[in-house]
Amino acid sequence: MEAKRLDKNKNTITVVGLGAGDLDQLPYGIYRTLKQADQLYLRTKEHPVVAQLASEGVALTSFDEVYEQHDGFAEVYADIVERLLGKVQEAGHIVYAVPGHPLVAERTVQLLLEEGPNRGVQIEIGGGQSFIDPLFARLHIDPIEGFSLLDGTALSAHQVSPGLHTIIAQVYDAFVASDVKLTLMEVLPDDYVVTVATAVGVAGQERIESVPLYELDRVEHFGNLSLVYVPPTTDDTVSYRQFSYLKEIVAILRSPDGCPWDREQTHQSIRKNLIEETYEVLETIDDEDPDAMCEELGDLLMQIMLHSQIAAEDGYFTVDDVVATLNEKLVRRHPHVFGEKSANDSEEALANWQEIKAQEKAAKGIDVAAASKLSGIPRDLPALMYAYKLQKKAAEVGFDWDDIADVYKKVEEEYNELREASAEERAGELGDLLFAVVNLARFLKIDPEEALALTNNKFKKRFSYIEGKLHEAGRTFEQTDLQEMDKWWEEAKHQTKGRE
């Protein structure tokens, strides 16, 4: 294959790596490029090779002062690149040297490759040895087992894969180390042992130290040549926190060697489980019990995972498709967050949401104008909630009472009709009364489901008080009467007044 030729008519920046060690480890070709450079610029002079080059009379300029002029690394790197592009326009050709290899953990080089062609500047990569090779050799790591190389200055928990050898570079100081520590603690136990390696392969400067994660930012030898190595683990306490492991468990449960009960289930057979688990989550919310909520949300997630696994086995979709569809929808329906629209309050945000929903339906060929104004309400909602949503949709087009006094009259009217109804008519008339009460709740801006749930809980507490009184007396319900139970009911009511 013919090597790519440089265009001699273009301004050129030759980028070389200073390697991971001292001058003796530098390839001769790179050494010659550095020695012969008319203008040599360094991202930083904090590298063993630099002092040796200076002692040989090599003239060089570093950008260390740029770090002091900005609050973040992104601004530092952008400034360095801008200065380099300005220098090459003046000189025609310059050499830019970075620690390690130019294409390993070097953001300035990536920015040069992106911006150089737009500015008429040719970027030549001259090579170099990265810190990865000596690190693998020093820690006896076989990279074929799988490894991840991450940036300590921009680390996020979702990047960390506990099953891989993880190398976190650019951990320059204790401040970066502290951020790395806190991020890793989202994935790993606080006492998980990690290794800090500084100047690997540099004679007289190499420091290797293993510490528990919570002590990471207390290590004293952080510098420009420091990195953190996180060994892989399959420990259950770590694996159990991984979504990928949950997917694997559910797939095993549904496999031929899995659980007989799980294998037999279908979408329809576990339909009721989804409803039950949802209500169990709601109960923990009402009880303000975060520990129970955590557990019940897991049970609800299990139902989603089972339905997704069944669909995947049938060739319809996977749980990754479920997540992708949700992410896409959230971004699309929040243009005031992820796009160019604005929303100054929740009403404007909801208006954006409704407008985009209408556009989505139109894109699917659904004629929104021709559809019933009452469409779009899930038919399996609890009856009170269904009635509430029906009335809200009707009210949106003007089919509603003008005054709450008329609603009270309607409730009274339906109550009287129920009292006069025949046995055959009572069910229908009771439904009319309940529907009218839902209307009243809507006018009062009260969710009828929540209101009834409060009363249910109130009844349960007061009835439990009666049971407690009977238990204290060593009696049963057969050994009491309504009058005595009513007295205890009033006691319970008085004790809880103001808390319900």
Side-chain angles (χ1 to χ4, degrees):
M1 180 181 296
E2 183 180 354
K4 183 176 180 180
R5 298 179 181 275
L6 290 177
D7 185 348
K8 299 300 182 182
N9 296 320
K10 274 191 175 184
N11 293 324
T12 303
I13 299 177
T14 298
V15 187
V16 296
L18 298 174
D22 53 24
L23 198 59
D24 291 337
Q25 300 177 44
L26 206 63
Y28 178 70
I30 293 177
Y31 173 72
R32 187 175 59 184
T33 298
L34 294 169
K35 289 279 288 183
Q36 296 176 353
D38 293 327
Q39 295 195 40
L40 173 60
Y41 295 91
L42 310 175
R43 177 168 65 75
T44 177
K45 62 183 178 182
E46 300 299 324
H47 191 282
V49 168
V50 177
Q52 294 172 302
L53 286 173
S55 68
E56 294 187 8
V58 176
L60 49 87
T61 303
S62 81
F63 292 115
D64 285 293
E65 79 279 359
V66 179
Y67 286 84
E68 306 298 325
Q69 299 171 10
H70 299 281
D71 295 328
F73 289 107
E75 294 86 354
V76 169
Y77 299 150
D79 192 351
I80 290 174
V81 167
E82 191 61 35
R83 295 184 187 210
L84 286 168
L85 292 173
K87 297 293 183 183
V88 75
Q89 297 289 350
E90 299 171 4
H93 177 261
I94 61 175
V95 175
Y96 175 51
V98 297
H101 190 286
L103 296 179
V104 178
E106 274 299 331
R107 181 60 184 156
T108 56
V109 177
Q110 294 301 320
L111 290 174
L112 282 172
L113 290 171
E114 293 170 10
E115 188 61 26
N118 299 330
R119 304 275 283 273
V121 177
Q122 189 165 261
I123 309 300
E124 177 191 17
I125 304 299
Q129 182 195 37
S130 78
F131 56 85
I132 296 178
D133 289 344
L135 178 69
F136 285 163
R138 182 68 176 80
L139 300 182
H140 302 160
I141 299 170
D142 186 349
I144 202 167
E145 296 172 359
F147 77 96
S148 177
L149 177 61
L150 304 176
D151 182 353
T153 66
L155 186 66
S156 59
H158 77 271
Q159 295 176 303
V160 181
S161 298
L164 300 178
H165 296 279
T166 301
I167 303 165
I168 304 173
Q170 305 198 102
V171 187
Y172 300 125
D173 52 38
F175 296 106
V176 178
S178 180
D179 289 340
V180 169
K181 176 185 75 173
L182 295 175
T183 301
L184 289 176
M185 281 181 173
E186 296 180 40
V187 181
L188 300 165
D190 294 356
D191 60 353
Y192 195 77
V193 177
V194 299
T195 298
V196 179
T198 298
V200 177
V202 181
Q205 297 186 38
E206 179 179 283
R207 296 284 301 276
I208 307 289
E209 183 176 356
S210 294
V211 295
L213 183 55
Y214 66 84
E215 292 186 355
L216 177 61
D217 50 354
R218 301 177 195 172
V219 173
E220 297 181 352
H221 53 83
F222 284 111
N224 287 340
L225 300 180
S226 295
L227 55 86
V228 174
Y229 166 67
V230 184
T233 180
T234 56
D235 186 84
D236 286 346
T237 59
V238 178
S239 299
Y240 285 164
R241 296 179 62 85
Q242 305 302 306
F243 184 71
S244 58
Y245 192 45
L246 173 60
K247 289 166 55 179
E248 183 180 346
I249 289 174
V250 175
I252 291 172
L253 290 174
R254 289 277 302 175
S255 71
D257 296 326
C259 172
W261 184 89
D262 287 294
R263 287 202 310 268
E264 291 175 0
Q265 301 315 305
T266 65
H267 289 303
Q268 197 64 32
S269 71
I270 58 174
R271 178 182 180 277
K272 64 182 183 301
N273 298 41
L274 183 59
I275 297 172
E276 290 173 4
E277 297 297 351
T278 300
Y279 277 104
E280 288 182 11
V281 171
L282 296 178
E283 185 175 318
T284 66
I285 294 173
D286 293 338
D287 292 344
E288 297 183 355
D289 188 341
D291 291 334
M293 187 190 301
C294 179
E295 181 178 351
E296 295 301 338
L297 283 171
D299 293 343
L300 180 57
L301 177 58
M302 177 60 182
Q303 298 305 309
I304 296 171
M305 299 299 296
L306 276 172
H307 282 289
S308 299
Q309 180 63 29
I310 293 169
E313 292 164 4
D314 292 338
Y316 292 119
F317 60 84
T318 68
V319 71
D320 297 307
D321 296 321
V322 173
V323 173
T325 300
L326 173 60
N327 286 338
E328 183 183 357
K329 182 188 294 184
L330 289 174
V331 171
R332 186 174 64 248
R333 292 189 181 179
H334 290 85
H336 50 284
V337 178
F338 302 105
E340 309 230 338
K341 277 200 174 187
S342 62
N344 297 318
D345 52 40
S346 59
E347 289 186 5
E348 288 186 24
L350 183 59
N352 286 341
W353 181 281
Q354 297 294 355
E355 179 186 348
I356 294 168
K357 277 185 69 175
Q359 293 171 357
E360 291 170 356
K361 289 182 178 180
K364 293 178 181 178
I366 300 173
D367 190 343
V368 179
S372 169
K373 299 300 181 183
L374 302 180
S375 63
I377 304 174
R379 59 178 178 269
D380 289 323
L381 283 177
L384 279 180
M385 192 182 297
Y386 193 85
Y388 185 79
K389 289 185 176 290
L390 280 175
Q391 294 170 9
K392 279 190 68 175
K393 280 186 171 283
E396 289 172 0
V397 294
F399 191 76
D400 201 8
W401 303 101
D402 293 323
D403 195 301
I404 192 171
D406 296 322
V407 184
Y408 278 112
K409 288 179 184 178
K410 184 63 176 176
V411 171
E412 185 176 355
E413 173 191 323
E414 296 297 350
Y415 170 72
N416 290 329
E417 288 184 6
L418 174 60
R419 294 190 64 177
E420 297 170 3
S422 65
E424 293 79 12
E425 297 170 332
R426 284 174 190 158
E429 294 299 339
L430 179 60
D432 292 345
L433 175 59
L434 292 172
F435 197 82
V437 170
V438 171
N439 239 326
L440 178 61
R442 187 171 56 83
F443 265 78
L444 295 172
K445 300 190 184 314
I446 297 172
D447 188 304
E449 283 281 344
E450 293 181 3
L452 185 55
L454 288 173
T455 298
N456 288 342
N457 288 333
K458 190 189 305 181
F459 181 91
K460 185 177 179 182
K461 289 176 182 177
R462 293 177 183 175
F463 193 80
S464 295
Y465 183 84
I466 294 173
E467 289 179 312
K469 285 295 183 181
L470 285 172
H471 182 73
E472 287 175 12
R475 295 157 56 194
T476 66
F477 280 103
E478 289 75 15
Q479 295 169 319
T480 186
D481 56 27
L482 182 59
Q483 183 177 0
E484 186 176 36
M485 286 190 288
D486 192 53
K487 182 191 74 168
W488 287 329
W489 180 273
E490 290 300 322
E491 286 181 12
K493 181 178 179 181
H494 178 72
Q495 290 181 6
T496 57
K497 192 172 183 180
R499 294 186 310 223
E500 299 175 332

